[in-house]
Coordinates of all heavy atoms in Angstrom, one line a residue:
M1 N -24.2 12.0 -6.7 CA -24.1 10.9 -7.6 C -22.7 11.0 -8.3 O -22.4 12.1 -8.8 CB -25.2 10.9 -8.6 CG -25.2 9.8 -9.5 SD -26.7 9.8 -10.5 CE -26.3 8.6 -11.6
S2 N -22.0 10.0 -8.3 CA -20.6 10.0 -8.8 C -20.7 9.6 -10.3 O -21.4 8.7 -10.7 CB -19.7 9.0 -8.1 OG -18.5 9.0 -8.7
T3 N -19.9 10.3 -11.1 CA -19.8 9.9 -12.5 C -18.5 9.2 -12.8 O -18.3 8.8 -13.9 CB -19.8 11.2 -13.4 OG1 -18.8 12.1 -13.0 CG2 -21.2 11.9 -13.2
V4 N -17.7 9.0 -11.8 CA -16.4 8.3 -12.0 C -16.7 6.8 -11.9 O -17.4 6.3 -11.0 CB -15.4 8.6 -10.9 CG1 -14.2 7.8 -11.0 CG2 -15.2 10.1 -10.9
K5 N -16.3 6.1 -12.9 CA -16.5 4.6 -13.0 C -15.3 3.9 -12.3 O -14.2 4.3 -12.5 CB -16.6 4.2 -14.5 CG -17.8 4.7 -15.1 CD -17.9 4.1 -16.5 CE -19.1 4.7 -17.2 NZ -19.3 4.2 -18.6
S6 N -15.6 2.9 -11.5 CA -14.6 2.2 -10.8 C -14.0 1.1 -11.7 O -14.7 0.4 -12.5 CB -15.3 1.5 -9.6 OG -14.3 0.7 -9.0
D7 N -12.7 0.9 -11.6 CA -12.0 -0.2 -12.3 C -12.3 -1.5 -11.6 O -12.0 -2.5 -12.2 CB -10.5 0.1 -12.3 CG -10.1 1.2 -13.2 OD1 -10.8 1.5 -14.1 OD2 -9.0 1.7 -13.0
R8 N -12.9 -1.5 -10.5 CA -13.2 -2.8 -9.8 C -14.4 -3.5 -10.3 O -14.7 -4.6 -10.0 CB -13.4 -2.5 -8.3 CG -12.1 -2.0 -7.6 CD -12.4 -1.7 -6.2 NE -11.2 -1.2 -5.5 CZ -11.1 -0.8 -4.3 NH1 -12.2 -0.9 -3.5 NH2 -10.0 -0.3 -3.8
R9 N -15.2 -2.8 -11.1 CA -16.4 -3.4 -11.6 C -16.1 -4.6 -12.6 O -15.0 -4.6 -13.2 CB -17.3 -2.4 -12.4 CG -17.8 -1.4 -11.5 CD -18.7 -0.4 -12.2 NE -19.2 0.6 -11.3 CZ -19.8 1.7 -11.7 NH1 -20.0 1.9 -13.0 NH2 -20.2 2.6 -10.8
C10 N -16.9 -5.5 -12.6 CA -16.7 -6.7 -13.5 C -16.7 -6.3 -14.9 O -17.6 -5.5 -15.4 CB -17.9 -7.7 -13.2 SG -17.7 -9.2 -14.1
R11 N -15.8 -6.8 -15.7 CA -15.7 -6.5 -17.1 C -16.1 -7.6 -18.0 O -15.5 -7.9 -18.9 CB -14.3 -6.0 -17.4 CG -13.9 -4.8 -16.7 CD -12.5 -4.4 -17.1 NE -12.1 -3.2 -16.4 CZ -10.9 -2.9 -16.0 NH1 -9.9 -3.7 -16.3 NH2 -10.7 -1.7 -15.4
G12 N -17.2 -8.3 -17.7 CA -17.7 -9.4 -18.5 C -17.3 -10.7 -17.9 O -18.1 -11.6 -17.7
N13 N -16.0 -10.9 -17.6 CA -15.6 -12.2 -17.0 C -14.7 -11.9 -15.8 O -14.0 -10.9 -15.8 CB -14.9 -13.1 -18.0 CG -13.6 -12.5 -18.6 OD1 -13.3 -11.3 -18.2 ND2 -13.0 -13.2 -19.4
A14 N -14.8 -12.7 -14.8 CA -14.0 -12.5 -13.6 C -12.5 -12.7 -13.9 O -12.2 -13.7 -14.5 CB -14.5 -13.4 -12.5
Q15 N -11.7 -11.7 -13.5 CA -10.3 -11.9 -13.7 C -9.7 -11.9 -12.3 O -10.1 -11.3 -11.3 CB -9.8 -10.6 -14.4 CG -10.3 -10.5 -15.8 CD -9.7 -9.2 -16.4 OE1 -9.0 -8.4 -15.8 NE2 -10.1 -9.0 -17.7
E16 N -8.6 -12.7 -12.2 CA -7.9 -12.8 -10.9 C -7.2 -11.4 -10.7 O -6.7 -10.8 -11.6 CB -6.9 -13.9 -11.0 CG -7.5 -15.3 -10.9 CD -6.5 -16.3 -10.7 OE1 -5.5 -16.1 -10.0 OE2 -6.7 -17.4 -11.2
P17 N -7.1 -11.0 -9.4 CA -6.4 -9.7 -9.1 C -4.9 -9.9 -9.5 O -4.3 -10.9 -9.4 CB -6.6 -9.5 -7.6 CG -7.2 -10.8 -7.1 CD -7.6 -11.6 -8.3
E18 N -4.4 -8.8 -10.0 CA -3.0 -8.8 -10.3 C -2.1 -8.9 -9.1 O -2.3 -8.3 -8.1 CB -2.6 -7.4 -11.0 CG -1.3 -7.4 -11.6 CD -1.0 -6.1 -12.3 OE1 -1.9 -5.6 -13.0 OE2 0.1 -5.5 -12.2
Q19 N -1.1 -9.8 -9.2 CA -0.2 -10.1 -8.0 C 0.9 -9.1 -8.0 O 1.4 -8.7 -9.1 CB 0.3 -11.5 -8.2 CG -0.7 -12.6 -8.1 CD -1.5 -12.6 -6.8 OE1 -0.9 -12.5 -5.7 NE2 -2.8 -12.6 -6.8
P20 N 1.4 -8.7 -6.8 CA 2.5 -7.7 -6.8 C 3.8 -8.4 -7.2 O 3.9 -9.6 -7.2 CB 2.6 -7.4 -5.3 CG 1.9 -8.5 -4.6 CD 0.9 -9.1 -5.5
P21 N 4.7 -7.6 -7.7 CA 6.0 -8.2 -8.1 C 6.7 -9.0 -7.0 O 6.5 -8.6 -5.8 CB 6.8 -7.0 -8.5 CG 5.9 -5.9 -8.7 CD 4.7 -6.2 -7.9
E22 N 7.4 -10.0 -7.3 CA 8.1 -10.8 -6.4 C 9.0 -10.0 -5.4 O 9.0 -10.3 -4.2 CB 8.9 -11.9 -7.1 CG 9.4 -13.0 -6.2 CD 8.3 -13.9 -5.6 OE1 7.2 -14.0 -6.3 OE2 8.4 -14.4 -4.5
E23 N 9.7 -9.0 -5.9 CA 10.6 -8.2 -5.0 C 9.8 -7.5 -3.9 O 10.2 -7.3 -2.8 CB 11.5 -7.3 -5.8 CG 10.7 -6.2 -6.6 CD 10.5 -6.7 -8.0 OE1 10.7 -7.8 -8.4 OE2 10.1 -5.8 -8.8
V24 N 8.5 -7.1 -4.3 CA 7.7 -6.4 -3.3 C 7.3 -7.4 -2.2 O 7.3 -7.1 -1.0 CB 6.4 -5.8 -3.9 CG1 5.4 -5.3 -2.9 CG2 6.9 -4.7 -4.9
V25 N 6.9 -8.6 -2.6 CA 6.5 -9.7 -1.7 C 7.7 -10.0 -0.7 O 7.5 -10.1 0.5 CB 6.0 -10.9 -2.4 CG1 5.7 -12.1 -1.5 CG2 4.7 -10.6 -3.2
D26 N 8.9 -10.1 -1.3 CA 10.1 -10.4 -0.5 C 10.4 -9.3 0.5 O 10.7 -9.6 1.6 CB 11.3 -10.7 -1.4 CG 11.2 -11.9 -2.3 OD1 10.3 -12.8 -1.9 OD2 11.9 -12.1 -3.3
R27 N 10.3 -8.1 0.0 CA 10.5 -6.9 0.9 C 9.5 -6.9 2.1 O 9.9 -6.7 3.2 CB 10.5 -5.6 0.2 CG 10.8 -4.4 1.0 CD 10.8 -3.1 0.3 NE 11.7 -3.1 -0.8 CZ 11.8 -2.1 -1.6 NH1 11.1 -1.1 -1.5 NH2 12.7 -2.2 -2.6
L28 N 8.3 -7.2 1.8 CA 7.3 -7.2 2.8 C 7.5 -8.4 3.8 O 7.4 -8.2 5.0 CB 5.9 -7.4 2.2 CG 4.7 -7.4 3.2 CD1 4.7 -6.1 4.0 CD2 3.4 -7.6 2.5
A29 N 8.0 -9.5 3.3 CA 8.3 -10.6 4.2 C 9.4 -10.3 5.1 O 9.5 -10.8 6.3 CB 8.6 -11.9 3.3
E30 N 10.4 -9.5 4.6 CA 11.5 -9.1 5.5 C 11.1 -8.2 6.6 O 11.5 -8.2 7.7 CB 12.6 -8.5 4.6 CG 13.4 -9.4 3.8 CD 14.3 -8.7 2.8 OE1 14.6 -7.5 3.1 OE2 14.8 -9.3 1.9
L31 N 10.2 -7.3 6.2 CA 9.7 -6.3 7.2 C 8.7 -6.8 8.2 O 8.7 -6.4 9.3 CB 9.0 -5.1 6.4 CG 9.9 -4.3 5.6 CD1 9.1 -3.3 4.7 CD2 10.9 -3.5 6.4
L32 N 7.9 -7.8 7.7 CA 6.9 -8.4 8.6 C 7.1 -9.9 8.6 O 6.5 -10.6 7.9 CB 5.5 -8.1 8.1 CG 5.1 -6.6 8.3 CD1 3.8 -6.4 7.5 CD2 4.9 -6.2 9.7
P33 N 8.0 -10.4 9.5 CA 8.2 -11.8 9.6 C 6.9 -12.6 9.9 O 6.0 -12.0 10.5 CB 9.2 -12.0 10.7 CG 9.8 -10.6 10.9 CD 8.8 -9.6 10.5
E34 N 6.9 -13.8 9.5 CA 5.7 -14.7 9.8 C 5.4 -14.6 11.3 O 6.2 -14.7 12.2 CB 6.1 -16.1 9.5 CG 5.0 -17.1 9.6 CD 4.3 -17.4 8.2 OE1 5.0 -17.1 7.2 OE2 3.2 -17.9 8.3
G35 N 4.1 -14.3 11.5 CA 3.6 -14.2 12.9 C 3.7 -12.9 13.5 O 3.1 -12.6 14.6
A36 N 4.4 -11.9 12.9 CA 4.6 -10.6 13.5 C 3.2 -9.9 13.6 O 3.0 -9.2 14.7 CB 5.6 -9.8 12.7
L37 N 2.4 -10.0 12.6 CA 1.1 -9.3 12.7 C 0.2 -10.0 13.8 O -0.5 -9.3 14.5 CB 0.4 -9.3 11.4 CG 1.0 -8.4 10.3 CD1 0.3 -8.5 9.0 CD2 0.9 -6.9 10.8
D38 N 0.3 -11.3 13.9 CA -0.5 -12.0 14.9 C -0.1 -11.5 16.3 O -1.0 -11.3 17.1 CB -0.2 -13.5 14.8 CG -0.7 -14.1 13.5 OD1 -1.7 -13.6 12.9 OD2 -0.2 -15.2 13.1
E39 N 1.2 -11.3 16.5 CA 1.6 -10.8 17.8 C 1.2 -9.4 18.0 O 0.8 -9.0 19.1 CB 3.2 -10.9 17.9 CG 3.7 -12.3 17.9 CD 5.2 -12.4 17.9 OE1 5.9 -11.3 18.2 OE2 5.7 -13.4 17.5
A40 N 1.2 -8.6 16.9 CA 0.8 -7.2 17.1 C -0.6 -7.0 17.4 O -1.0 -6.0 18.1 CB 1.2 -6.4 15.8
V41 N -1.5 -7.8 16.9 CA -2.9 -7.6 17.2 C -3.5 -8.5 18.3 O -4.6 -8.3 18.7 CB -3.7 -8.0 15.9 CG1 -3.3 -7.1 14.7 CG2 -3.6 -9.4 15.5
Q42 N -2.6 -9.3 18.9 CA -3.1 -10.2 20.0 C -3.5 -9.3 21.2 O -2.8 -8.4 21.6 CB -1.9 -11.1 20.4 CG -2.4 -12.1 21.4 CD -1.2 -13.1 21.7 OE1 -0.1 -13.0 21.2 NE2 -1.5 -14.1 22.5
G43 N -4.7 -9.6 21.6 CA -5.2 -8.9 22.8 C -5.9 -7.6 22.5 O -6.4 -6.9 23.4
L44 N -5.8 -7.1 21.3 CA -6.5 -5.8 21.0 C -8.0 -6.0 20.7 O -8.4 -7.0 20.2 CB -5.8 -5.1 19.7 CG -4.4 -4.7 19.9 CD1 -3.9 -4.2 18.5 CD2 -4.2 -3.7 21.0
R45 N -8.7 -5.0 21.2 CA -10.2 -5.0 20.9 C -10.4 -4.6 19.5 O -9.6 -3.9 18.8 CB -10.9 -4.0 21.9 CG -10.7 -4.4 23.3 CD -11.5 -3.5 24.2 NE -11.4 -2.1 23.9 CZ -10.5 -1.2 24.5 NH1 -9.7 -1.7 25.4 NH2 -10.4 0.0 24.2
P46 N -11.5 -5.0 18.9 CA -11.8 -4.6 17.5 C -11.7 -3.1 17.2 O -11.1 -2.8 16.2 CB -13.2 -5.1 17.3 CG -13.4 -6.2 18.3 CD -12.6 -5.8 19.4
E47 N -12.1 -2.3 18.1 CA -12.0 -0.8 17.8 C -10.6 -0.3 17.9 O -10.2 0.7 17.3 CB -12.9 0.0 18.8 CG -12.6 -0.2 20.2 CD -13.3 -1.3 20.9 OE1 -13.9 -2.1 20.3 OE2 -13.2 -1.4 22.2
E48 N -9.7 -1.1 18.6 CA -8.3 -0.7 18.6 C -7.6 -1.1 17.3 O -6.6 -0.6 17.0 CB -7.6 -1.4 19.8 CG -8.1 -0.9 21.1 CD -7.4 -1.7 22.3 OE1 -7.4 -2.9 22.2 OE2 -7.0 -1.0 23.2
L49 N -8.2 -2.0 16.6 CA -7.7 -2.4 15.3 C -8.2 -1.6 14.2 O -7.4 -1.1 13.3 CB -8.0 -3.9 15.0 CG -7.4 -4.9 15.9 CD1 -8.0 -6.3 15.6 CD2 -5.9 -5.0 15.6
T50 N -9.5 -1.4 14.1 CA -10.1 -0.8 12.9 C -10.8 0.6 13.2 O -11.2 1.3 12.3 CB -11.2 -1.7 12.3 OG1 -12.2 -2.0 13.3 CG2 -10.5 -3.0 11.8
G51 N -10.9 1.0 14.5 CA -11.5 2.2 14.8 C -10.7 3.4 14.5 O -9.5 3.3 14.1
P52 N -11.2 4.6 14.6 CA -10.4 5.8 14.4 C -9.2 5.8 15.3 O -9.2 5.6 16.5 CB -11.4 7.0 14.8 CG -12.7 6.4 14.8 CD -12.6 4.9 15.1
G53 N -8.0 6.1 14.7 CA -6.8 6.0 15.4 C -6.3 4.6 15.7 O -5.3 4.5 16.4
G54 N -7.0 3.6 15.2 CA -6.6 2.3 15.5 C -5.4 1.8 14.7 O -4.8 2.6 13.9
L55 N -4.9 0.6 15.0 CA -3.7 0.1 14.4 C -3.8 0.1 12.8 O -2.8 0.5 12.2 CB -3.5 -1.4 14.9 CG -2.2 -2.0 14.4 CD1 -1.0 -1.3 14.9 CD2 -2.2 -3.5 14.8
L56 N -4.9 -0.3 12.3 CA -5.0 -0.3 10.8 C -4.9 1.1 10.2 O -4.1 1.3 9.2 CB -6.3 -0.9 10.4 CG -6.5 -1.1 8.9 CD1 -5.5 -2.0 8.3 CD2 -7.9 -1.7 8.6
S57 N -5.5 2.1 10.8 CA -5.4 3.4 10.2 C -4.0 4.0 10.4 O -3.5 4.7 9.5 CB -6.5 4.4 10.8 OG -6.2 4.6 12.2
K58 N -3.4 3.7 11.5 CA -2.0 4.2 11.7 C -1.0 3.5 10.7 O -0.1 4.1 10.2 CB -1.6 3.9 13.1 CG -2.2 4.8 14.1 CD -1.8 4.6 15.5 CE -2.5 5.6 16.5 NZ -2.1 5.4 17.9
L59 N -1.2 2.2 10.5 CA -0.4 1.5 9.6 C -0.6 2.0 8.2 O 0.4 2.2 7.4 CB -0.7 0.0 9.7 CG 0.1 -0.9 8.7 CD1 1.6 -0.8 9.0 CD2 -0.3 -2.4 8.9
A60 N -1.8 2.2 7.8 CA -2.1 2.7 6.4 C -1.5 4.1 6.3 O -0.9 4.4 5.2 CB -3.6 2.8 6.2
G61 N -1.6 4.9 7.3 CA -1.0 6.3 7.2 C 0.5 6.2 7.1 O 1.0 7.0 6.3
R62 N 1.2 5.4 7.8 CA 2.6 5.2 7.6 C 3.0 4.8 6.3 O 4.0 5.2 5.7 CB 3.2 4.3 8.7 CG 3.0 5.0 10.1 CD 3.6 4.2 11.2 NE 5.1 4.1 11.0 CZ 5.9 3.4 11.8 NH1 5.4 2.7 12.8 NH2 7.2 3.3 11.6
V63 N 2.3 3.8 5.7 CA 2.6 3.3 4.4 C 2.4 4.4 3.3 O 3.2 4.6 2.5 CB 1.7 2.1 4.0 CG1 1.8 1.7 2.5 CG2 2.1 0.9 4.9
L64 N 1.3 5.2 3.5 CA 1.0 6.3 2.5 C 2.1 7.4 2.6 O 2.6 7.9 1.6 CB -0.4 6.9 2.8 CG -1.5 6.1 2.3 CD1 -2.8 6.7 2.8 CD2 -1.5 5.9 0.8
E65 N 2.5 7.7 3.8 CA 3.6 8.7 4.0 C 4.9 8.3 3.4 O 5.5 9.0 2.7 CB 3.8 9.0 5.5 CG 2.7 9.8 6.1 CD 2.9 10.0 7.6 OE1 4.0 9.7 8.1 OE2 2.0 10.5 8.3
A66 N 5.2 7.0 3.6 CA 6.4 6.5 3.0 C 6.4 6.5 1.5 O 7.3 6.8 0.8 CB 6.7 5.1 3.5
A67 N 5.2 6.1 0.9 CA 5.0 6.1 -0.5 C 5.1 7.5 -1.1 O 5.7 7.7 -2.1 CB 3.7 5.4 -0.9
L68 N 4.5 8.4 -0.4 CA 4.5 9.8 -0.9 C 5.9 10.4 -0.8 O 6.4 11.1 -1.7 CB 3.6 10.7 -0.1 CG 2.1 10.4 -0.4 CD1 1.2 11.2 0.6 CD2 1.7 10.8 -1.8
Q69 N 6.6 10.1 0.2 CA 8.0 10.5 0.4 C 8.9 9.9 -0.7 O 9.7 10.6 -1.3 CB 8.6 10.2 1.7 CG 10.0 10.7 2.0 CD 10.0 12.2 2.0 OE1 9.1 12.9 2.5 NE2 11.0 12.8 1.3
A70 N 8.7 8.7 -1.0 CA 9.5 8.0 -2.1 C 9.2 8.7 -3.4 O 10.1 8.9 -4.3 CB 9.2 6.5 -2.1
E71 N 7.9 9.0 -3.7 CA 7.5 9.6 -4.9 C 8.1 11.0 -5.0 O 8.6 11.4 -6.1 CB 6.0 9.7 -5.0 CG 5.4 10.3 -6.2 CD 5.6 9.4 -7.5 OE1 5.8 8.2 -7.3 OE2 5.5 10.0 -8.6
L72 N 8.1 11.8 -3.9 CA 8.7 13.1 -3.9 C 10.2 13.1 -4.2 O 10.7 14.0 -4.9 CB 8.4 13.8 -2.6 CG 7.0 14.3 -2.4 CD1 6.8 14.8 -1.0 CD2 6.6 15.3 -3.4
T73 N 10.9 12.1 -3.6 CA 12.3 12.0 -3.8 C 12.7 11.5 -5.2 O 13.7 11.8 -5.8 CB 13.0 11.2 -2.8 OG1 12.4 9.9 -2.8 CG2 12.9 11.8 -1.4
E74 N 11.7 10.8 -5.8 CA 12.0 10.2 -7.2 C 11.7 11.2 -8.2 O 12.4 11.3 -9.3 CB 11.1 9.0 -7.4 CG 11.4 8.2 -8.6 CD 10.5 7.0 -8.7 OE1 10.5 6.2 -7.8 OE2 9.8 6.9 -9.7
Q75 N 10.7 12.1 -8.0 CA 10.4 13.1 -9.0 C 11.6 14.0 -9.5 O 11.8 14.1 -10.7 CB 9.2 14.0 -8.5 CG 7.9 13.3 -8.4 CD 7.3 13.0 -9.8 OE1 7.7 13.6 -10.8 NE2 6.5 12.0 -9.8
P76 N 12.3 14.6 -8.5 CA 13.5 15.4 -9.0 C 14.5 14.6 -9.8 O 15.1 15.1 -10.7 CB 14.1 15.9 -7.7 CG 12.9 15.9 -6.7 CD 12.1 14.7 -7.1
A77 N 14.7 13.4 -9.4 CA 15.6 12.5 -10.2 C 15.2 12.3 -11.6 O 16.0 12.4 -12.5 CB 15.8 11.2 -9.5
R78 N 13.9 12.2 -11.8 CA 13.3 12.0 -13.2 C 13.5 13.3 -14.0 O 13.9 13.3 -15.1 CB 11.8 11.7 -13.1 CG 11.6 10.2 -12.8 CD 10.1 9.9 -13.0 NE 9.7 9.0 -12.1 CZ 8.4 8.8 -11.7 NH1 7.5 9.6 -12.2 NH2 8.1 7.9 -10.9
R79 N 13.2 14.4 -13.3 CA 13.4 15.7 -14.0 C 14.9 15.9 -14.4 O 15.2 16.4 -15.5 CB 12.9 16.9 -13.1 CG 11.4 17.1 -13.1 CD 11.1 18.4 -12.5 NE 11.6 18.6 -11.2 CZ 10.9 18.3 -10.1 NH1 9.6 17.9 -10.2 NH2 11.4 18.5 -8.9
D80 N 15.8 15.6 -13.5 CA 17.2 15.8 -13.8 C 17.6 14.9 -14.9 O 18.4 15.2 -15.8 CB 18.0 15.5 -12.6 CG 17.9 16.5 -11.5 OD1 17.3 17.6 -11.8 OD2 18.2 16.3 -10.3
A81 N 17.1 13.6 -15.0 CA 17.5 12.7 -16.0 C 16.9 13.2 -17.4 O 17.6 13.0 -18.4 CB 16.9 11.3 -15.7
R82 N 15.8 13.8 -17.4 CA 15.2 14.3 -18.7 C 16.0 15.5 -19.2 O 16.0 15.7 -20.4 CB 13.8 14.7 -18.5 CG 12.9 13.5 -18.5 CD 11.4 13.9 -18.5 NE 11.1 14.3 -17.1 CZ 9.9 14.4 -16.6 NH1 8.9 14.3 -17.3 NH2 9.8 14.7 -15.3
R83 N 16.6 16.2 -18.3 CA 17.4 17.4 -18.8 C 18.7 17.0 -19.5 O 19.2 17.8 -20.3 CB 17.8 18.3 -17.6 CG 16.6 19.0 -17.0 CD 17.0 19.8 -15.8 NE 15.9 20.3 -15.1 CZ 15.9 20.9 -13.9 NH1 17.1 21.0 -13.3 NH2 14.8 21.3 -13.3
L84 N 19.2 15.8 -19.2 CA 20.5 15.4 -19.8 C 20.3 15.0 -21.2 O 19.7 14.8 -22.0 CB 21.0 14.1 -19.0 CG 21.3 14.4 -17.6 CD1 21.8 13.1 -16.9 CD2 22.4 15.5 -17.4

């Protein structure tokens, strides 16, 4: 039994999900042009998309690796800035 409360639970009234900053949306649009995902998944079986080792898990893994790498490279810069 988990004692951690989820932030996703309703807090009395339904709130719209927070939208990502515009620069994030623009960057994503540059990386994934309109229709690129449609072409990438065309002809794949459901298990090739969502199953173990499928396209979704590989894509999520790459996004997480990139985010962690960005975080690791940003951390030393923050420490150096605080020393000044």
Side-chain angles (χ1 to χ4, degrees):
M1 182 173 174
S2 176
T3 59
V4 178
K5 293 183 181 179
S6 173
D7 287 339
R8 294 181 184 176
R9 291 184 184 167
C10 183
R11 295 185 180 147
N13 61 0
Q15 297 177 357
E16 288 191 31
E18 188 175 321
Q19 297 298 313
E22 191 67 30
E23 60 268 11
V24 172
V25 173
D26 292 343
R27 184 181 296 178
L28 183 60
E30 289 174 13
L31 294 172
L32 291 169
E34 185 97 18
L37 287 176
D38 294 334
E39 292 174 21
V41 300
Q42 186 175 6
L44 295 178
R45 296 185 314 266
E47 62 272 8
E48 293 174 314
L49 292 171
T50 58
L55 184 63
L56 184 59
S57 65
K58 288 181 181 179
L59 179 59
R62 291 183 67 183
V63 169
L64 287 172
E65 286 177 14
L68 289 171
Q69 185 62 42
E71 183 70 21
L72 289 173
T73 57
E74 189 175 304
Q75 290 292 337
R78 283 191 213 156
R79 278 195 302 266
D80 292 344
R82 283 187 279 197
R83 290 182 192 166
L84 298 177

